[in-house]
């Protein structure tokens, strides 16, 4: 999973009512529900409360539906049903939502030479157990799990909209991409309801529509350090895009003096040990979410090189090196920062 640590939405300069035309007044509304195991928040601007309530309920209902498709925790989800039914020579037809997420996952896997890989689930499950027990996974079990990992072992047929898992026992984990996709879908649902001034906060991963009335963007605060109590000291001004962060500030375990992240390197089968935080800005949530996970594995040099090929993207990487916190950012990251005079 990816989490945007030390972020906040600053709307202190925006009143509850903002006139957008001579005949229409928009009001700010906020709604919260728990989905995909985390807190979701929708902030939107609408002409009245009934319209806002109805739109948010439709959006949250769609997110709930997507969880039944994409969850690796729900044994009855479409994702887990696929893993149970498919195998060598057994392609399974899947829904458009699941196929789209797997297609995007596969594309990023190829771009990153497997640094992002949704077939990592067998290894991730061992590390979840390791974090609970605070002991390294058994080496034989870890090797057996690693043998089931490899994006090339998942075969997609766009013509038939089918997925075939080429080894028995394979499992898929969409934790690094599902929230971003769901947030994108929720944004579209709200836009279909006539609401485009919206922000969706999926436990810190933000998907943003048109800005609040009277503003050129949503003002997002971030921290230049990764301490749990770090203060906000940088600000982004964003609209019609997304921002996501992947890091291990709250999900890690120390075993035999080594700090292991919950983020697993698909190439080694081990939790990352570099203690980093990656914040990515991208045109949409599915891109920001998955890139934040991928760059965590790739590291600063390869990660920033990857973004140079993707218009509308930027990243900030905080990484502990030799007991010092080092900061890396792509050349375009500062382009998204708020000016001192921005509202």
């Amino acid at each position: 999973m990816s989490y945007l640590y030390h972020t906040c939405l600053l709307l202190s300069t925006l009143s509850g009512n903002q006139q957008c035309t001579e005949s229409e007044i928009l009001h700010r509304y906020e709604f919260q529900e728990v989905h995909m195991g985390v807190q979701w928040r929708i902030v939107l601007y609408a002409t009245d409360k009934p319209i806002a309530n109805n739109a948010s309920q439709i959006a949250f209902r769609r997110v709930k539906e997507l969880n039944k498709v994409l969850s690796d925790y729900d044994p009855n989800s479409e994702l887990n049903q696929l893993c149970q039914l498919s195998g060598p020579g057994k392609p399974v037809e899947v829904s458009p939502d699941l196929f789209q997420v797997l297609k995007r996952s596969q594309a990023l896997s190829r771009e990153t030479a497997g640094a992002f890989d949704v077939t990592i689930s067998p290894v991730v499950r061992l590390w979840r157990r390791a974090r609970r027990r605070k002991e390294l996974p058994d080496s034989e079990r870890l090797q057996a799990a690693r043998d089931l990992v490899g994006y090339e072992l998942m075969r997609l047929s766009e013509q038939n909209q089918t997925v075939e898992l080429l080894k028995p026992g394979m499992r898929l984990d969409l934790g690094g991409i599902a929230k971003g996709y769901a947030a994108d879908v929720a944004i579209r649902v709200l836009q279909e309801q006539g609401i485009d001034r919206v922000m969706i906060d999926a436990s810190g991963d933000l998907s943003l529509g048109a800005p609040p009335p009277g503003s050129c963007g949503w003002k997002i605060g971030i921290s230049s350090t990764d301490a749990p109590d770090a203060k906000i000291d940088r600000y982004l001004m964003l609209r019609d895009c997304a921002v996501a962060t992947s890091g291990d500030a709250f999900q890690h375990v120390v075993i035999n003096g080594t700090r292991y992240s919950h983020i697993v390197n698909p190439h080694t089968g081990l939790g990352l040990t570099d203690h980093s935080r990656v914040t990515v800005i991208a045109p949409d949530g599915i891109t920001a979410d998955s890139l934040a996970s991928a760059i965590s594995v790739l590291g600063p040099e390869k990660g920033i090189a990857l973004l140079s090929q993707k218009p509308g993207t930027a990243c900030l990487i905080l990484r502990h090196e030799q007991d010092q916190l080092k900061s890396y950012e792509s050349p375009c990251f500062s382009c998204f920062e708020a000016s001192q005079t921005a509202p």
Side-chain angles (χ1 to χ4, degrees):
M1 304 283 284
S2 58
Y3 300 88
L4 187 56
Y5 304 125
H6 315 308
T7 63
C8 64
L9 174 65
L10 301 180
L11 295 174
S12 58
T13 61
L14 302 174
S15 64
N17 303 331
Q18 292 284 345
Q19 188 167 353
C20 55
T21 70
E22 290 185 357
S23 60
E24 184 180 52
I25 299 223
L26 295 181
H27 306 265
R28 180 183 184 275
Y29 299 96
E30 182 174 330
F31 306 90
Q32 297 189 47
E33 289 188 10
V34 174
H35 294 284
M36 296 184 163
V38 297
Q39 188 77 36
W40 283 62
R41 181 164 66 113
I42 294 177
V43 178
L44 59 81
Y45 286 81
T47 52
D48 60 48
K49 190 171 183 178
I51 290 175
N53 284 341
N54 182 63
S56 66
Q57 289 173 9
I58 294 173
F60 278 138
R61 187 159 58 243
R62 186 72 173 95
V63 173
K64 184 177 181 179
E65 291 171 355
L66 286 172
N67 189 57
K68 294 179 181 179
V69 173
L70 306 174
S71 173
D72 71 306
Y73 286 95
D74 181 356
N76 298 314
S77 70
E78 184 183 358
L79 178 72
N80 281 329
Q81 290 298 308
L82 164 65
C83 295
Q84 292 173 23
L85 295 174
S86 185
K90 297 179 180 178
V92 174
E93 185 175 354
V94 298
S95 67
D97 286 314
L98 181 53
F99 192 85
Q100 176 65 13
V101 172
L102 293 178
K103 179 182 175 182
R104 289 290 298 270
S105 300
Q106 197 81 320
L108 185 57
S109 293
R110 288 192 292 267
E111 286 184 282
T112 61
F116 183 86
D117 191 338
V118 297
T119 69
I120 193 67
S121 180
V123 174
V124 169
R125 293 185 180 201
L126 287 182
W127 277 97
R128 287 176 185 167
R129 185 169 181 264
R131 290 203 308 275
R132 290 194 302 269
R133 295 191 170 196
K134 297 186 178 181
E135 61 184 26
L136 291 174
D138 175 77
S139 59
E140 291 186 4
R141 295 184 66 183
L142 183 58
Q143 184 57 54
R146 289 182 62 192
D147 289 342
L148 299 175
V149 175
Y151 68 92
E152 69 281 356
L153 299 174
M154 181 175 67
R155 181 179 295 164
L156 306 182
S157 170
E158 191 151 15
Q159 180 178 359
N160 300 317
Q161 199 169 287
T162 59
V163 181
E164 181 182 356
L165 304 179
L166 301 182
K167 279 191 175 182
M170 289 180 65
R171 293 291 182 268
L172 307 180
D173 183 342
L174 303 179
I177 195 170
K179 277 198 303 168
Y181 177 77
D184 289 340
V185 172
I187 288 275
R188 291 197 294 271
V189 167
L190 291 166
Q191 291 170 340
E192 290 168 0
Q193 300 300 310
I195 295 174
D196 60 354
R197 299 182 186 273
V198 59
M199 181 211 70
I200 295 182
D201 176 359
S203 187
D205 288 353
L206 309 179
S207 288
L208 311 167
S215 176
C216 61
W218 298 87
K219 193 172 183 181
I220 310 299
I222 63 175
S223 172
S224 294
T225 72
D226 64 349
D229 58 349
K231 294 182 179 180
I232 301 298
D233 57 4
R234 296 182 72 173
Y235 300 90
L236 307 174
M237 186 65 72
L238 305 174
R239 59 170 294 170
D240 300 310
C241 67
V243 56
T245 292
S246 181
D248 59 3
F250 302 105
Q251 295 197 70
H252 63 268
V253 63
V254 177
I255 302 175
N256 298 329
T258 301
R259 187 182 195 274
Y260 294 94
S261 170
H262 73 292
I263 304 168
V264 176
N265 185 334
H267 298 308
T268 65
L270 300 176
L272 300 182
T273 59
D274 57 12
H275 188 185
S276 66
R277 191 190 85 200
V278 178
T279 298
V280 172
I281 301 168
D284 52 32
I286 191 172
T287 304
D289 194 6
S290 56
L291 280 176
S293 300
I295 293 173
S296 295
V297 175
L298 288 172
E301 183 177 346
K302 291 181 179 179
I304 291 175
L306 174 66
L307 292 193
S308 69
Q309 307 169 29
K310 296 181 175 295
T313 63
C315 74
L316 170 67
I317 303 171
L318 300 179
R319 184 184 177 99
H320 289 261
E321 298 178 2
Q322 297 178 343
D323 297 325
Q324 290 188 338
L325 182 65
K326 294 194 66 174
S327 177
Y328 303 84
E329 60 184 70
S330 61
C332 291
F333 190 81
S334 60
C335 302
F336 294 95
E337 291 198 84
S339 68
Q340 296 298 318
T341 57

